[in-house]
Amino acid sequence: MDWEDWKPLYLRIVREMGYPIEGDRRAARILRALLLEGDEYILRDELAAVVGRKAYVFGCGPSLEDALQEFDFSDGTLIVADGATSALLEHDMVPDIIVSDLDGRIPDLKLANDRGAFMAVHAHGDNVDKLTAYVPLFSRVLGTTQTEPLDIVYNFGGFTDGDRAAFLAEELGAREIVLVGFDFGETVGRWSKPGLREHAPIWESKRKKFEFAEELLKWLEKNGKARIEYLRPGP
């Protein structure tokens, strides 16, 4: 994603969500420093080597559980949005790549990372404390930001963990992206937040994030190189 292409989308998101741009920039600088200090970071080409032509991107919608029971995912790269890591582990699956702002269940993220999953850790103004606390725990970490990219902190586009995972897949070479657990409905999947023990009614800030995620995925479908489809389990 070229920064000049992403910039107008980003500026509208932060304006409508009320996020300070400088907070995102500061977080990116802190993530860069943490990666350099720990020396467990990877570069774009190293992660691109993991991504095949077909990628499954797993969101945290309520349909995820049925999809994991119903479908076979052995023919593609498994890329998960944060909390969806827990759902895959529950089904004895280890993702290839975890896209996370560290808002999921950290023990599950660490377990998957220890079992071979690569981490794409995202920096934004609201997660500096989590970056500082948890980035040193992980290995094979690629850093991402939603503002201007730095040398080892990339901006592939995307806003929420889910749509950002799809942008990452496209940027790193996938040409068929299958979205799983992307429901965008009135119910939030129980894997979306560590405190949720069951699916929950949507709250207003989440609704706004869903709207942006849907819009960005449509933008990616129109402007990217990959074919994008949604995988829905049967009734």
Side-chain angles (χ1 to χ4, degrees), residues 29-184:
R29 294 193 297 269
I30 289 172
L31 176 57
R32 178 183 183 274
L34 289 166
L35 294 175
L36 289 172
E37 180 180 346
D39 199 30
E40 283 288 349
Y41 68 91
I42 60 172
L43 302 178
R44 170 203 172 107
D45 289 349
E46 294 174 80
L47 196 61
V50 179
V51 179
R53 289 192 60 82
K54 182 174 185 178
Y56 293 98
V57 177
F58 297 87
C60 294
S63 69
L64 176 60
E65 191 155 26
D66 287 344
L68 290 173
Q69 294 173 352
E70 184 173 335
F71 299 108
D72 175 62
F73 302 101
S74 61
D75 61 337
T77 305
L78 309 184
I79 305 177
V80 297
D82 211 354
T85 304
S86 300
L88 265 70
L89 289 175
E90 290 171 9
H91 288 79
D92 297 319
M93 298 168 62
V94 178
D96 297 301
I97 301 171
I98 300 169
V99 176
S100 173
D101 63 356
L102 304 180
D103 202 22
R105 297 184 176 98
I106 297 299
D108 288 349
L109 300 182
K110 181 71 168 86
L111 177 61
N113 183 232
D114 288 345
R115 291 181 177 177
F118 290 77
M119 301 292 298
V121 173
H122 189 69
H124 57 71
D126 289 337
N127 76 335
V128 169
D129 290 347
K130 291 177 180 178
L131 294 174
T132 304
Y134 300 132
V135 166
L137 301 179
F138 296 107
S139 59
R140 300 180 306 281
V141 181
L142 180 131
T144 67
T145 179
Q146 55 202 28
T147 186
E148 298 95 339
L150 305 175
D151 52 353
I152 61 168
V153 180
Y154 300 88
N155 186 338
F156 300 132
F159 174 49
T160 72
D161 288 326
D163 64 90
R164 193 167 59 252
F167 273 79
L168 178 144
E170 201 273 346
E171 186 76 17
L172 297 185
R175 291 299 173 258
E176 181 182 355
I177 298 173
V178 182
L179 304 177
V180 187
F182 282 71
D183 299 346
F184 299 129

